[in-house]
Amino acid sequence: MDAPVTGRDAIEDIEIQLLLEAVYKRYHYDFRYYARASVKRRLLQARQQLGFASISGMQESILHDPAMLPRLLNYLTVQVSEMFRDPSYFRALREQVLPHLRTYPSLKVWVAGCSNGEELYSLAILFREEGLDQRTIFYATDINPEALKVAQAGVYPLDQVRNFTQNHQKSGARSSLSDYYRADYGRAAFDAGLRERVVFSDHSLVTDAVFAEMHLISCRNVLIYFDRDLQDRAIGLFRESLARKGFLGLGSKESLRFSRHADAFTDFIREEKIYRRNET
C-alpha cells in the first residue's frame, strides 16, 4: 500500500485535479491538460479572491452553482491583451503576408483565443487599411463567453488607447487609430463597421473541430498555457484548418520547433513566429 499523501502542496495538487475533472464532467470545459503550474497559480488566486477556504470548497460551489462558472473562467482563461501588441508582428503581416493574401478573391481569417477582442480589431483595422476588409471574413473564437461579449461590444477603457495608438503607429499605420473609435465617458467604442464581417463563436482548442480553409490563423500567447500534448493537438487543428500555403502566427514565446506537426510548416518570418503551411 502506498503511503498516504501529506503536505499542503501535495493535497492542493489533488484538489486541483479533482476540480478540473469536475469542471470538465459538469460543464465540458477541459483545462485538465493546461500547463499545471499556471493553472495552480490562477486557481489559488481565485480561491483567495472569491473567498473560499480551500480548492475543495470551490469545487463544491462550481458543481452546485452554475453561476460560479463564468467567475472561475475569468481566472482560468487569460484576458490580458492590447491592440497591435508586438507591433513588429503586425508590420510583418502588413508588409510580407498581406501581399500574398491579396492574390485571393476572398479570405478567411481565424483569431483563435480572441480574448476580449483587441487582436481581432487590430487585424480588422489592418485589413481595412490595406483594402482587404470587404473580401475577408473573420472568425473570432474563445472559450470564455464573458470575453466574447466584450469582444462583440468593442468597448475599451480610454486610458488604454494611448498605448493602442502607439502600437498602431509602430505597425506601419496608414491612418490614425482615432478614425476607428468614438470616445465617450472614459471609454473608446470601436466602429461597428469593423464587426460587420466577423463571426464570433465559442470554440475550444482542446475539444472542438476545425475551421476549414483559413488563409491566416493568428493564435498568439495561448499555446504557452498548454502542456506539450495539448499544444500538439492545437497545432494539428491549425494544420487541418489552414488552406495550403496559408499562414499561422504565434506569440513571441511560442514555436512549432518541437511539435510533431512541424514538418507541415515552413518558417516564413522566423523572428515574428509566422509560419506557412506547406502545399502537401
Side-chain angles (χ1 to χ4, degrees), residues 202-219:
D202 185 334
H203 181 276
S204 171
L205 296 174
V206 181
T207 57
D208 291 333
V210 302
F211 280 71
E213 292 299 300
M214 295 292 149
H215 299 92
L216 168 65
I217 297 174
S218 193
C219 181

Side-chain angles (χ1 to χ4, degrees), residues 17-44:
Q17 184 64 39
L18 293 172
L19 171 61
L20 298 180
E21 196 70 36
V23 170
Y24 174 65
K25 290 186 175 180
R26 176 77 164 85
Y27 301 103
H28 307 294
Y29 284 93
D30 195 351
F31 295 96
R32 294 174 299 172
Y33 305 105
Y34 277 47
R36 186 50 56 91
S38 175
V39 168
K40 182 174 183 176
R41 183 173 60 253
R42 284 182 262 166
L43 285 176
L44 291 176

Side-chain angles (χ1 to χ4, degrees), residues 124-145:
I125 290 169
L126 175 62
F127 275 62
R128 180 180 289 188
E129 289 180 337
E130 298 301 322
L132 294 175
D133 56 317
Q134 290 305 305
R135 66 169 100 164
T136 304
I137 297 177
F138 295 91
Y139 296 84
T141 67
D142 203 274
I143 64 170
N144 188 329

Side-chain angles (χ1 to χ4, degrees), residues 157-169:
L158 194 57
D159 60 10
Q160 295 181 4
V161 171
R162 181 179 180 181
N163 189 41
F164 292 174
T165 300
Q166 292 174 346
N167 288 346
H168 177 230
Q169 290 301 310

